[in-house]
Amino acid sequence: MGDFSQTLVDLDADGADAARLAGRVVDWLVAEGVVLAERTDCVFGQPSGHPPGPHWDRAVGDDWDFEPSDGLAVHTVRTGFTSGADMPGAAICPRCGVATPLGTGTWARFGAAMRTWYDTGAATVDCPACVAAVAVPDWGWDEAPLGFGCLGFEFWNWPPLTDAFRARLAGLLDGHRTVYIWGAL
């Protein structure tokens, strides 16, 4: 089956906001019993994370087939989040809504901008349709979403998180835009 992750990425938090907002969310999750405060070796690819708490089921719907087997990784540094091995087939401009197929040349432009964003925190790609310079985190993605931010909450091997839970978590992020990414490795 493989490992499965669900990530809520804050698209607007900068490096200064990330730790403060992460602390607020983790405090809420611990108070709700969704995760434990103690950090253990419970997340894929990270040294430690927060294991599921006694009320982890408050984050998921009533129709689940398994209990979480891993925990929550909280990322507070500039990160490009992906849904797994698959990449999107098109980038969607937030200004005009046109989907640009990601062929070799287009991927090269986006890839260079993504590297610049990762290194500096700022980069744009011009939309081929409306010619607007669009910041890397603002682009939408079809099929296999990507998210770029300094704050992400990555749940490993949990049943699907509910829309209501994701909305409550996002509500703690000072009105910031978020993107939900899920996928398997």
Side-chain angles (χ1 to χ4, degrees):
M1 178 173 148
D3 291 300
F4 176 80
S5 70
Q6 302 171 80
T7 307
L8 192 69
V9 180
D10 183 324
L11 299 173
D12 298 324
D14 61 21
D17 287 336
R20 175 182 61 82
L21 293 171
R24 178 188 297 166
V25 170
V26 169
D27 287 348
W28 171 71
L29 292 170
V30 169
E32 289 287 314
V34 173
V35 300
L36 299 177
E38 173 190 357
R39 293 170 53 97
T40 66
D41 179 17
C42 65
V43 293
F44 182 78
Q46 300 294 317
S48 64
H50 298 276
H55 301 294
W56 60 266
D57 56 338
R58 292 179 178 172
V60 302
D62 293 335
D63 186 24
W64 45 269
D65 295 330
F66 62 95
E67 294 184 13
S69 59
D70 295 306
L72 166 68
V74 179
H75 301 269
T76 58
V77 296
R78 194 176 308 123
T79 305
F81 298 93
T82 71
S83 61
D86 295 328
M87 288 280 102
I92 303 165
C93 177
R95 310 280 193 275
C96 68
V98 170
T100 300
L102 293 171
T104 304
T106 308
W107 257 124
R109 284 190 307 124
F110 275 94
M114 290 173 187
R115 282 187 296 281
T116 299
W117 176 85
Y118 183 78
D119 292 341
T120 69
T124 62
V125 176
D126 291 345
C127 174
C130 70
V131 196
V134 178
V136 167
D138 293 347
W139 282 92
W141 312 95
D142 76 338
E143 299 170 15
L146 303 173
F148 298 88
C150 293
L151 179 57
F153 301 93
E154 189 174 38
F155 293 82
W156 280 98
N157 297 314
W158 285 50
L161 302 173
T162 65
D163 293 343
F165 173 76
R166 294 191 330 253
R168 286 195 313 271
L169 192 153
L172 298 171
L173 301 175
D174 293 346
H176 291 177
R177 297 171 302 141
T178 60
V179 65
Y180 172 65
I181 300 171
W182 59 272
L185 295 179

